[in-house]
Amino acid sequence: MAALDYNYMAELVVNAQSGNSDAFAELYAATYQKQYRFAYSYLKDEYLAQDALQETYIIALKELSKLKDPMLLVAWLNQINFRVCFQLHKRQKRYDAEMAGDYSDEEGDWEQASGVARMNSRRAEINNPEEVVIQVDSREYIMNQILKLPFTEAQVILLRFYRNLKYDEIAELLEISKSSVKRYLNSGKEHLGNVLRQQGGGF
């Protein structure tokens, strides 16, 4: 795929913000392949990826007027797509768990993320319902803190620990070097660790 002409894209953004539907259609044509590729790599499901793509551009169309710097369109789309994929994946896991009668669907993900936050959710060892609530609240709190990290740090942490992607896969997906993946991962873990320590959480 040819490299994007960001100056031309910025002109299209300005035109689309003025209500030019053809300009938005051209923006979609120029960017949807990369957005679909990310969604498919994250969700690992063709139909969910199509849903993510559709939702991403619906949000983009509704919110385009709020984009202050037209040159940042692609980065802005990346952020929308990332959060849409995260929510779709979370929703799908919850649905799958309910269908299987298993309500511990996120435990495996957080066991994988033990290097980020040492969460030990061994449900068989928990007999007190209040402890179960604490475990669930802790996972939700940590996820919220991850999503508050600088965008690329959050992406790398979730792709590495939450989606189990390898360094090479993350580098290719985010179009950064493998060393950058490691750098963002380390800085993200450090930032997250500082937040958890301030809140009295383990790391």
Side-chain angles (χ1 to χ4, degrees):
M1 185 173 65
L4 297 175
D5 183 336
Y6 285 89
N7 289 321
Y8 180 63
M9 297 272 288
E11 292 179 15
L12 290 175
V13 169
V14 173
N15 290 335
Q17 288 175 328
S18 300
N20 187 329
S21 58
D22 289 338
F24 187 83
E26 193 168 349
L27 287 172
Y28 172 84
T31 58
Y32 84 93
Q33 289 183 338
K34 179 180 179 181
Q35 298 304 321
Y36 176 80
R37 179 168 163 266
F38 177 87
Y40 181 79
S41 297
Y42 189 103
L43 297 166
K44 304 184 188 303
D45 181 281
E46 178 181 351
Y47 297 105
L48 283 178
Q50 290 286 357
D51 288 345
L53 192 69
Q54 181 178 9
E55 189 169 343
T56 294
Y57 283 95
I58 288 174
I59 294 173
L61 180 60
K62 290 180 179 178
E63 303 292 328
L64 189 63
S65 61
K66 298 179 182 179
L67 181 61
K68 302 301 182 184
D69 186 348
M71 292 291 289
L72 298 179
L73 172 75
V74 174
W76 182 66
L77 283 175
N78 291 344
Q79 293 190 38
I80 295 173
N81 194 8
F82 176 69
R83 293 183 181 275
V84 166
C85 287
F86 172 75
Q87 292 299 332
L88 281 177
H89 175 67
K90 186 176 181 181
R91 194 182 310 156
Q92 185 64 38
K93 282 181 67 66
R94 185 179 298 116
Y95 174 79
D96 291 343
E98 290 174 355
M99 292 297 99
D102 177 11
Y103 298 95
S104 61
D105 59 300
E106 287 187 273
E107 289 181 7
D109 291 323
W110 286 111
E111 291 297 329
Q112 292 290 335
S114 59
V116 177
R118 302 186 186 283
M119 301 297 298
N120 240 338
S121 303
R122 295 184 293 271
R123 190 174 55 171
E125 298 178 11
I126 298 176
N127 297 316
N128 185 344
E130 291 182 0
E131 293 183 26
V132 176
V133 173
I134 291 172
Q135 292 283 358
V136 173
D137 286 347
S138 296
R139 288 198 298 270
E140 189 69 23
Y141 172 77
I142 293 171
M143 183 58 71
N144 288 335
Q145 295 308 310
I146 291 174
L147 293 175
K148 291 178 182 178
L149 292 173
F151 179 62
T152 306
E153 290 182 3
Q155 276 188 308
V156 170
I157 286 177
L158 290 178
L159 290 173
R160 176 70 182 123
F161 294 114
Y162 195 71
R163 299 302 293 134
N164 298 324
L165 267 63
K166 298 177 181 179
Y167 292 123
D168 291 340
E169 294 174 319
I170 298 172
E172 181 180 0
L173 187 59
L174 301 185
E175 298 181 350
I176 58 178
S177 66
K178 186 175 177 180
S179 61
S180 294
V181 171
K182 294 179 179 179
R183 186 174 69 253
Y184 283 121
L185 184 62
N186 289 333
S187 61
K189 288 166 62 177
E190 181 178 353
H191 290 154
L192 182 60
N194 289 337
V195 171
L196 296 178
R197 281 190 290 272
Q198 290 172 6
Q199 297 298 324
F203 187 72

